[in-house]
Amino acid sequence: MTVAAGIGYALVALGPSLALFVSVISKKPFLILTLLSSTLVWLISLIILSGIWRAFLPLNSATWWPFAILLFTSVAFQEGLRLLFWKVYKRLEDIMDAFADRVSKPRLYLTDKMQIALAGGLGHGVAHAVFFCLSLLTPAFGPATYFVDRCSQIPFFLVSAIIALAFVMVHTFSMVIAFNSYAEGNKVDQLFVPVVHLAAGMMTLINFASGGCIVGIPLLYLMAILTLMHCGRMVSRRLTENHRQGSS
Amino acid sequence: MAQNQRPKTLLDSLGEEIIRILVPVSICMFLVVLLVSILDSNSSASVTSIAAMAYSETSSDSSWDKFLGALLNSLAFVAVVTVVTFILVLLFYLRCTKFLKIYMAFSSFVVLGFMGGEIALFLIENFSVPIDCITFLVLLFNFAVVGVLAVFMSKMAILVTQGYLILIGMLVAYWFTLLPEWTTWVLLVAMALYDLAAVLLPVGPLRLLVELAMSRDEDIPALVYEARPVIHHDSGLGDNTVQRRVWRARSNFRQDSEDNSNLNGNVVSDSNSTVGTVQSSHNGTRIARVEEEQVSERDAELSAPLIDHGRNAQDGMSAERLMLEGMGLGSSGAIKLGLGDFIFYSVLVGRAAMYDFMTVYACYLAIVAGLGITLMLLAFYQKALPALPVSIALGVLFYFLTRFLLDVFIVQCSLNLVMF
């Protein structure tokens, strides 16, 4: 509607990630590089997916099941990439540990590893917010606004910003959960991440029903809060274990 | 908190040099995107410049005509740039350094004064700023003069110098975005190819320039952005160290390596101080320069083991040192990137901004990835490398992929509120 509204929408989607960035990530250059590379990986995955699906677009927006297939393939592909990301990170961690030994600095602490995972997750989240919300926000800086039929009570920009915020939370913290569970070999948590991602995606399908977004978006936030709580529990458990091991 | 008492790990300092060169590049791109989106240039007059002299694009031509015209334009521009660079090499060979310096100062003044003035006029027109001619001229003149002094005298605060360099890059880049669309894209690709040829071919002008400068141990007079070298604060030493690491005028730079070589005996050799040069005449930056000096013994503890290793491994190119240099640790090297690189990256992103912001983000990520790859290659190959080709290639690729594939996909998904 105006520049103020445009900036407002952008901050709704990216405010918490900006806060995280300024307080945690901007202090360590390596985390900034991790964030940029994970954003790039997410972008590449999106481009590949759009390349695969280009032939089938535009989809008939009356039915929901083509979108379900699209969602399923996309989430599966991105979770596969997350595994690849983990393997690359593992190798990088070994190189960094070897290097640290050589210059007689301490090896990476557990908090360092978690910070790298957080930066990676934040990169994915920021990429989602940027490509699904911010890049469509250009008309919002102008004099008018835009409504979609699916969710006609609030402007489209606000809806996409709110959904983007939920997904930023899901992406950021599921990366921390995923890295921790791969490191510990915890199968349950390893499955938790793709399931939550898929469930969150499926929640957005509820928007297809008329008036669906009133139900769909709170459910999506439920998933985000679930991820957040699970991540918090896991992190505190690991940190107390580590502290107990270190001090014993 | 217990954390504060633990010794710092690698994570605190790794990669700082790369960030110090990424931040100004990002700022320059951001300013150009801002300018492009504020000043809607669709309605402005076409630019008569060297780059558009062979053919001026009109929207009624067919695609093939536009492509041919753009190709002609780019070839003409690259030819002009080649000739000018060869003249530069010749002048440098004939030791007309003073003339080159004065020419550089003059061109900076023209860019800041005239191009900056024109863009300021566009902005004043756009926002209806109430300002009179005389005030405007006084401000502009002061701005331009301070800029020239900042870029060519070393006594200014480093932030002012860096700020003015970014501004010069931004102004030139904005002017390039005013070219017609096809010409811009073909020109970018042509300049990337020229850069590749000029730096890597034995007969390339830039390679000749770098070799001349290295053999004479002189500086090349050019507009180059120098990131501040990384100072390791956990050393707790010496003023001697700090002096060595302070950003210096480029003319004093060679003195550093001589001091170091006196201190470290036969460890310092040409293979140790790797010089890949990022150079630019004011319209063409090509090579990426990473200068890595041997640090004195009393330097940060991080580099102390490096010196010991270095003394043992006299060939100086062991894998460990390569890795150290690749990660930018243990050396006080300041990464230098020529202004032409800034300009052409920003032109790409600015042109992407004229389509949509999605392409802007995609191209920004591509360029940053390309810059990272170039820096890694630089640490690996230890010689002069062109900074344009990888980034421009990735940027152009991502632009077209995003424009034709991603845009439709994302808009389809978003408008139906299906996201993942």
Side-chain angles (χ1 to χ4, degrees), chain B residues 110-123:
Chain B
V110 164
V111 167
L112 284 173
F114 288 94
M115 290 187 182
E118 284 245 29
I119 291 179
L121 282 176
F122 288 154
L123 286 171

Side-chain angles (χ1 to χ4, degrees), chain B residues 12-89:
Chain B
D12 285 337
S13 51
L14 204 58
E16 192 162 351
E17 319 241 325
I18 304 182
I19 294 293
R20 285 200 181 179
I21 200 78
L22 263 185
V23 169
V25 172
S26 312
I27 292 177
C28 187
M29 288 199 257
F30 173 71
L31 287 175
V32 172
V33 167
L34 205 62
L35 264 185
V36 164
S37 38
I38 292 178
L39 300 173
D40 185 9
S41 57
N42 291 336
S43 47
S44 70
S46 64
V47 171
T48 48
S49 75
I50 307 177
M53 65 180 176
Y55 161 78
S56 50
E57 188 175 312
T58 55
S59 47
S60 55
D61 291 344
S62 73
S63 297
W64 183 245
D65 281 342
K66 283 195 211 174
F67 180 66
L68 275 183
L71 206 59
L72 277 175
N73 270 340
S74 321
L75 285 176
F77 187 75
V78 168
V80 168
V81 167
T82 317
V83 167
V84 169
T85 316
F86 269 116
I87 294 180
L88 186 74
V89 174

